[in-house]
Amino acid sequence: MYKHLIRPVLFRFDAEGVHHFSFSFLRFLFLIPGMGWLFRQFTVYDDPALEREVFGLKFRNPIGLAAGFDKDALLGPKWRHFGFGFVELGTVTPRPQAGNPRPRLFRLPKDQAIINRMGFNNAGVDAMVERLKKFNKQDTIIGANIGKNKDTPNEQAVEDYEICFQKLFPYVDYFVVNVSSPNTPGLRELQEKEPLTRLLSHLQKLNQAASVPKPLLLKIAPDLTQEQLDDIIEVAVETQLDGLIANNTTISREGLNTPEAEVAAMGNGGLSGLPLTGRSWTVLDYLRTHAPDNLYLIGVGGIMEGLDAKLRMEAGADLIQVYTGFVYHGPGFVYQLAKAISYLVRSQPKAS
């Protein structure tokens, strides 16, 4: 019903406007007693075979909502009603910021893709903390994707990440350091070996000083070379990260079906969705082959159907996340992915 009736109507309107409308509608809907339970009857695929423990946390299933969808924790743990095993909020910055000028979010239906140059638009870390205080978290695993404000020089970026880390520490289950968005000028320079090591070492020092440290992960870009990926692995090992998230959006525009003039008119931004499927799988496979086994991997980018989820898990992903696939396939998408992963798990030969 979503694909043939609802999506065609929604896609007639501005992408960002629809996003905000959908959030307002869902927030109202979940105020109705029993509505969450009703949703779960159609969207949750429960199977004990999907349960897993990753970086010390127990996940009901390995499918998460990627960062960028619920930037300000407007729904937070309520995403479990759509079948998600976990949700990653943000990217959040210390101070509120408006992000880049609109329009900044574009659909490419011929490619099942999205281009965004949102620019870390969010209400700031204090607003997120206040929302998280009010939620009934239940059994939902929540991650925080943290970044720096646009006007903070890279030389002072560590301070921004520290603010977000310290303020959110009591309210989330894990952290993701985002230095890979293409929409904040100069941000990807922090992926270079020296500044990245300095940033992660500082956060890990704060983390290890806590009575119970939280899992700390890094989200990387799909546009890195093999040499840069090797550096990322080296830094991850040196700073004792718990995992890597592969990948963020890409700046590439290769192989698109959308006419070149249309794409050019959309301007700069990160591309997500189907065109990213192959590259995301390649990066994940490389990381799994070259990284130590105790470095957990989350596969994200171009997961558009059950087969994509299955292949990502086979390539070594411990968990997966979705964003654009959820936009194109709607509320039943997580159910579809969970069913595919369940089949994969149950069809694997048991160890003797």
Side-chain angles (χ1 to χ4, degrees):
M1 183 173 75
Y2 175 83
K3 182 178 179 180
H4 298 291
L5 293 178
I6 299 176
R7 191 179 76 185
V9 174
L10 294 179
F11 275 29
R12 288 179 176 271
F13 298 94
D14 169 70
E16 188 171 352
V18 168
H19 185 83
H20 292 309
F21 167 79
S22 299
F23 267 74
S24 297
F25 176 72
L26 289 172
R27 292 176 74 188
F28 167 77
L29 203 62
F30 289 136
L31 290 175
I32 302 172
M35 188 57 66
W37 175 87
L38 183 62
F39 252 74
R40 292 195 299 274
Q41 306 314 301
F42 300 97
T43 59
V44 175
Y45 186 86
D46 269 328
D47 184 348
L50 293 172
E51 297 174 2
R52 60 202 56 218
E53 186 169 327
V54 180
F55 37 77
L57 300 176
K58 293 183 179 179
F59 293 78
R60 186 175 67 248
N61 70 52
I63 307 164
L65 181 66
F69 207 91
D70 193 352
K71 290 176 178 288
D72 289 314
L74 296 176
L75 288 175
K78 294 186 184 297
W79 289 107
R80 68 181 181 275
H81 299 321
F82 289 90
F84 287 105
F86 64 108
V87 56
E88 191 172 306
L89 306 173
T91 299
V92 63
T93 56
R95 291 172 282 110
Q97 63 181 28
N100 294 320
R102 298 176 68 168
R104 54 193 178 181
L105 186 64
F106 307 90
R107 308 182 195 94
L108 290 74
K110 293 176 183 177
D111 294 287
Q112 293 188 58
I114 289 173
I115 288 176
N116 94 82
R117 54 170 175 274
M118 304 301 289
F120 287 176
N121 58 307
N122 72 105
V125 68
D126 290 332
M128 179 177 285
V129 166
E130 289 307 308
R131 287 200 177 97
L132 290 174
K133 285 180 180 178
K134 297 174 184 176
F135 277 124
N136 179 5
K137 190 169 177 290
Q138 294 188 356
D139 62 346
T140 308
I141 291 176
I142 294 179
N145 187 296
I146 58 178
K148 77 174 189 72
N149 281 108
K150 182 178 180 179
D151 59 359
T152 299
N154 280 359
E155 296 75 22
Q156 299 171 23
V158 172
E159 298 170 20
D160 275 16
Y161 287 91
E162 177 179 342
I163 290 169
C164 292
F165 183 84
Q166 297 281 46
K167 290 188 174 185
L168 285 166
F169 195 90
Y171 307 104
V172 301
D173 299 296
Y174 72 90
F175 284 93
V176 178
V177 176
N178 187 351
V179 291
S180 54
S181 169
N183 301 317
T184 296
L187 183 71
R188 285 191 170 189
E189 294 172 10
L190 294 175
Q191 287 184 119
E192 296 301 321
K193 194 172 183 179
E194 184 179 340
L196 184 61
T197 302
R198 186 167 56 250
L199 170 60
L200 295 177
S201 295
H202 181 74
L203 292 177
Q204 198 65 283
K205 183 178 179 180
L206 298 172
N207 193 28
Q208 296 305 317
S211 56
V212 181
K214 300 286 174 78
L216 184 64
L217 296 86
L218 173 70
K219 189 167 188 175
I220 66 172
D223 309 306
L224 299 175
T225 64
Q226 284 193 2
E227 182 179 309
Q228 289 173 314
L229 289 174
D230 290 336
D231 285 344
I232 291 287
I233 293 170
E234 185 178 332
V235 171
V237 172
E238 180 182 341
T239 58
Q240 298 182 316
L241 288 186
D242 292 276
L244 299 173
I245 299 183
N247 301 275
N248 213 316
T249 56
T250 179
I251 57 175
S252 171
R253 298 292 188 266
E254 292 182 9
L256 296 179
N257 296 311
T258 304
E260 188 175 341
E262 281 185 41
V263 176
M266 294 174 187
N268 296 330
L271 177 74
S272 62
L274 187 61
L276 196 51
T277 302
R279 178 58 184 167
S280 287
W281 184 94
T282 299
V283 172
L284 176 71
D285 182 63
Y286 186 87
L287 293 173
R288 185 70 290 158
T289 302
H290 294 83
D293 292 339
N294 64 350
L295 187 66
Y296 292 102
L297 300 178
I298 299 180
V300 58
I303 298 176
M304 306 298 289
E305 60 180 10
L307 179 60
D308 296 326
K310 178 175 176 289
L311 292 174
R312 214 63 63 95
M313 302 298 287
E314 288 178 336
D318 298 287
L319 303 167
I320 62 170
Q321 292 177 325
V322 297
Y323 182 121
T324 305
F326 189 60
V327 171
Y328 275 87
H329 297 289
F333 186 53
V334 180
Y335 185 98
Q336 174 192 349
L337 300 184
K339 194 172 181 179
I341 296 171
S342 174
Y343 178 81
L344 169 66
V345 172
R346 292 191 174 280
S347 63
Q348 289 177 335
K350 295 182 180 179
S352 56

